[in-house]
């Protein structure tokens, strides 16, 4: 605990005070404070390679909170999760996967409580619909009691159920690639020319699975300046015996004429069906729209976020400008260099989202939200 | 209750009002006024362009309400929407009814504003409480329920004299199709137009 104190002070740059755990101090052990602060620091320092590592770490921390926290009732547990979740997701506002995981855990807690309660009162007629979302039916029909009483005791059984659900979620995140691979057979055919941007593990697995089926297709990889990830992607694809071509970012529009489909990975998928992807993807999407080429995004469902975005700045951050223009150059003081990390791609430009649970059009994404998140948790 | 619904809607819609934004509003809507005044109370700095809202001059009511809250307003003619749209960052209107396909029925002129917003790539938001959802599915402007005041002579007695044999077509409401609507702010949450039909199906299954 003494080691945690100085860390907490330096981490308190946001408006919340350094004693952030005040409201849950009685229920949370010092060990939990320590692991949460470590996660927060890792997020601030951008120590995570990709979103899935981030998601898995967050879920593991939350699982510890559930298993070791001294919460008496499910309500206290939910409050604890949300306080911790707010803190952790504020650490890195562009890494929205963290917030998603917190919301999933909150949803799991509510669902599990509702199911346990339903089991207890099983003498009632028929299967009661465990639908906690607010809807017109609930407003019009006052006979249905939609409020969930969360003050039930957090028994060992309930705790274990919640922990099991979280573990299942962790496994889902870790096995995203193997689930998505199954869909590649439907989307990639022989003699297809696929365009992809930079390096994405999900896209790599997706294309590799199609290659295993011995389908002859070509891939054009956009090198994606300034990181030049495209080179790494091309090498990986070549290892799977895929015919690969690397092109510069400026050649995208010219090459789009011969492309059959564009497949990119996602950073975050927003509630209105918009996509936040690496910088450069919006340009590719606009070129694809112009040439009527389908723009497909492959992503895990843990990247689905219930927030809405509408412009390039909302969930964006800037990366190191030295990647574009080295600091040693003579004219560097006279030039303003901007290196945005991500692009916001509006839903009209995306044709299809392929997730580990199938393909969905952007206008359908809102439906998936109600299955995985509760409206009360949208604003952490 | 409807006040509670409006406060919920303000909470959801608050994110979309950014500092320095210019919002175009059509006529008068209680939901929109509550949303904007709550945003103002939170300390957001924005300005509003209000259309006159003829023939009822409802825009003047909105202007006085917002001015009392300290919001910077500008009034424009209904016909000046197209020229003023480039200065606006977004459009926010209320609704008299939300129909099954996610379209809205609102004061006449909303359809025009939506078309212009769509052409100039400005987001068009509708704020409506959930009790306004209805089971209509209009296919054209003729399919919306009409009201008695619409048949008649010139609505403006201060205007020039109209020859007796020239009718004055004065629809009070129009129907805005869902393709022009970006998002709806309701007390059930923020919905895309396609989500509205889902909600209605759940209600009427």
């Amino acid at each position: 605990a003494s080691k945690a104190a100085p860390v907490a002070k330096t981490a308190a740059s946001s408006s919340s005070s350094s004693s952030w755990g005040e409201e849950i101090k009685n229920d949370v052990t010092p060990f939990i404070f320590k692991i949460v602060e470590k996660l927060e620091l890792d997020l601030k320092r951008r120590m995570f390679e990709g979103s899935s590592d981030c998601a898995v770490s967050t879920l593991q921390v939350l699982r510890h909170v559930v298993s070791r926290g001294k919460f008496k009732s499910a309500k206290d547990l939910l409050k604890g999760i949300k306080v911790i979740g707010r803190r952790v997701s504020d650490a890195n506002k562009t890494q929205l996967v963290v917030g998603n995981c917190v919301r999933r855990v909150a949803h799991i807690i509510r669902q599990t409580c509702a199911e346990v309660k339903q089991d207890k009162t099983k003498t009632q007629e028929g299967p009661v619909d465990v639908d906690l979302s607010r809807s017109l039916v609930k407003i019009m029909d006052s006979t249905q009691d939609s409020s969930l009483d969360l003050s039930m005791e957090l028994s060992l059984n309930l705790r274990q159920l919640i922990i099991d659900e979280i573990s299942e979620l962790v496994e889902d995140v870790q096995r995203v690639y193997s689930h998505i691979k199954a869909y590649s057979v439907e989307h990639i055919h022989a003699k297809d020319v696929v365009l992809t941007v930079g390096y994405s593990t999900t896209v790599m697995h997706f294309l590799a699975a199609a290659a295993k089926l011995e389908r002859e297709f070509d891939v054009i990889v956009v090198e994606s300046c300034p990181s030049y990830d495209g080179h790494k992607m091309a090498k990986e694809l070549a290892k799977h015996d895929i015919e690969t071509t690397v092109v510069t970012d400026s050649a995208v529009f010219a090459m789009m004429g011969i492309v059959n489909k564009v497949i990119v990975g996602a950073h975050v998928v927003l509630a209105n069906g918009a996509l936040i992807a690496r910088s450069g993807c919006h340009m590719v999407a606009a070129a694809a729209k112009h040439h009527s080429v389908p723009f497909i995004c492959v992503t895990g469902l843990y990247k689905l976020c219930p927030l809405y975005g509408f412009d390039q700045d909302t969930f964006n951050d800037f990366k190191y400008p030295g990647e574009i223009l080295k600091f040693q150059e003579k004219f560097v003081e006279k030039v303003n260099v901007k290196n945005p990390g991500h692009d916001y791609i509006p839903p009209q430009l995306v044709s299809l989202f392929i997730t580990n649970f199938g393909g969905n059009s952007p206008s359908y994404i809102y439906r998936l939200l109600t299955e995985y998140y509760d409206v009360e948790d949208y604003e952490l | 209750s409807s006040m509670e619904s409006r406060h919920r809607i303000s909470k959801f819609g608050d994110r979309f009002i950014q500092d320095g934004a210019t919002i175009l509003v059509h006529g008068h809507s209680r939901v929109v006024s509550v949303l904007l005044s709550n945003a103002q109370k939170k300390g957001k700095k924005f300005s509003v362009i209000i259309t006159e809202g003829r023939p009822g001059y409802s825009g003047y009511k909105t202007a006085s309400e917002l001015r009392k809250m300290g919001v910077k307003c500008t009034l424009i003619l209904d016909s000046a929407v197209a020229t003023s749209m480039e200065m606006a960052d977004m459009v926010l209107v209320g609704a008299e009814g939300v129909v099954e396909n996610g379209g809205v029925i609102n004061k006449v002129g909303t359809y025009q504003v939506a078309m212009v917003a769509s052409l100039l790539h400005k987001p068009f938001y509708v704020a409506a409480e959930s009790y306004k959802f209805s089971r209509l599915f209009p296919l054209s402007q003729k399919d919306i329920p009409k009201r008695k005041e619409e048949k008649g002579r010139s609505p403006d007695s201060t205007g020039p004299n109209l020859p007796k044999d020239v009718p004055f077509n004065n629809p009070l409401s129009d129907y805005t199709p869902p393709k022009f609507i970006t998002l709806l702010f309701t007390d059930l949450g923020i919905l895309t137009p396609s989500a509205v039909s889902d909600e209605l199906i759940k209600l009427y299954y």
Side-chain angles (χ1 to χ4, degrees), chain B residues 2-93:
Chain B
S2 68
M3 268 319 277
E4 195 191 291
S5 305
R6 287 183 207 138
H7 281 287
R8 265 182 85 94
I9 293 175
S10 322
K11 207 174 65 164
F12 288 129
D14 184 62
R15 267 192 168 235
F16 290 81
I17 300 179
Q18 297 170 301
D19 271 325
T22 306
I23 304 170
L24 190 108
V25 170
H26 180 59
H28 176 76
S29 158
R30 284 175 289 188
V31 188
V32 172
S33 302
V34 168
L35 212 168
L36 292 177
S37 51
N38 283 352
Q40 175 75 1
K41 278 191 207 138
K42 280 216 178 110
K44 296 212 176 171
K45 308 233 174 328
F46 55 92
S47 62
V48 183
I49 300 177
I50 313 171
T51 59
E52 255 195 321
R54 288 201 55 193
Y57 293 105
S58 46
Y60 291 82
K61 191 166 164 196
T62 314
S64 56
E65 270 176 20
L66 292 178
R67 201 72 203 103
K68 265 198 222 128
M69 307 294 310
V71 179
K72 184 163 171 289
C73 313
T74 315
L75 205 69
I76 57 167
L77 284 177
D78 294 335
S79 33
V81 164
T83 46
S84 315
M85 189 59 79
E86 58 186 30
M87 294 187 292
D89 294 315
M90 58 183 257
V91 182
L92 180 61
V93 300

Side-chain angles (χ1 to χ4, degrees), chain A residues 305-320:
Chain A
C305 182
L307 299 174
Y308 285 83
F310 32 83
D311 62 14
Q312 299 292 338
D313 301 321
T314 323
F315 297 116
N316 213 344
D317 59 351
F318 284 103
K319 293 196 155 55
Y320 173 56

Side-chain angles (χ1 to χ4, degrees), chain A residues 159-212:
Chain A
R159 235 184 247 258
Q160 193 53 45
L161 284 171
I162 295 174
I163 291 170
D164 286 342
E165 288 278 332
I166 298 180
S167 303
E168 216 182 281
L169 191 56
V170 172
E171 266 185 39
D172 262 346
V173 174
Q174 285 168 331
R175 283 195 300 194
V176 147
Y177 306 132
S178 50
H179 288 151
I180 287 189
K181 269 196 249 198
Y183 296 103
S184 67
V185 66
E186 296 168 6
H187 294 278
I188 301 185
H189 311 291
K191 297 225 179 109
D192 260 352
V193 179
V194 174
L195 185 113
T196 184
V197 183
Y199 184 78
S200 160
T201 328
T202 322
V203 176
M204 218 275 299
H205 281 99
F206 193 75
L207 295 174
K212 258 202 204 97

Side-chain angles (χ1 to χ4, degrees), chain A residues 180-289:
Chain A
I180 287 189
K181 269 196 249 198
Y183 296 103
S184 67
V185 66
E186 296 168 6
H187 294 278
I188 301 185
H189 311 291
K191 297 225 179 109
D192 260 352
V193 179
V194 174
L195 185 113
T196 184
V197 183
Y199 184 78
S200 160
T201 328
T202 322
V203 176
M204 218 275 299
H205 281 99
F206 193 75
L207 295 174
K212 258 202 204 97
L213 298 164
E214 296 179 7
R215 293 194 176 180
E216 292 272 334
F217 62 96
D218 291 347
V219 178
I220 300 180
V221 180
V222 179
E223 71 179 356
S224 181
C225 196
S227 54
Y228 297 110
D229 274 6
H231 300 177
K232 182 170 156 203
M233 179 73 153
K235 275 196 210 122
E236 291 277 339
L237 288 173
K239 276 192 204 145
H240 288 96
D241 287 329
I242 298 175
E243 191 68 40
T244 319
T245 315
V246 176
V247 298
T248 54
D249 297 1
S250 35
V252 164
F253 193 87
M255 299 301 279
M256 197 56 78
I258 55 160
V259 172
N260 287 123
K261 45 183 71 102
V262 179
I263 301 183
V264 300
H267 177 68
V268 172
V269 178
L270 298 174
N272 54 348
L275 177 62
I276 300 209
R278 65 183 309 118
S279 197
C281 282
H282 193 174
M283 175 184 68
V284 175
K289 184 84 185 186

Side-chain angles (χ1 to χ4, degrees), chain A residues 67-101:
Chain A
S67 65
R68 296 190 198 211
K70 291 179 279 179
F71 304 100
K72 293 201 185 56
S73 74
K75 203 173 186 179
D76 290 336
L77 174 63
L78 196 61
K79 191 169 103 171
I81 294 278
K82 285 183 87 164
V83 166
I84 291 173
R86 209 175 305 137
R87 183 76 187 175
V88 162
S89 67
D90 278 347
N92 184 345
K93 290 214 165 77
T94 56
Q95 192 60 275
L96 293 167
V97 177
V98 174
N100 293 351
C101 292

Side-chain angles (χ1 to χ4, degrees), chain A residues 121-141:
Chain A
T121 57
K122 215 155 196 169
T123 50
Q124 278 184 355
E125 353 73 46
V128 180
D129 186 16
V130 190
D131 179 20
L132 304 168
S133 61
R134 203 183 147 101
S135 76
L136 279 176
V137 199
K138 307 257 173 71
I139 295 174
M140 302 288 170
D141 183 10

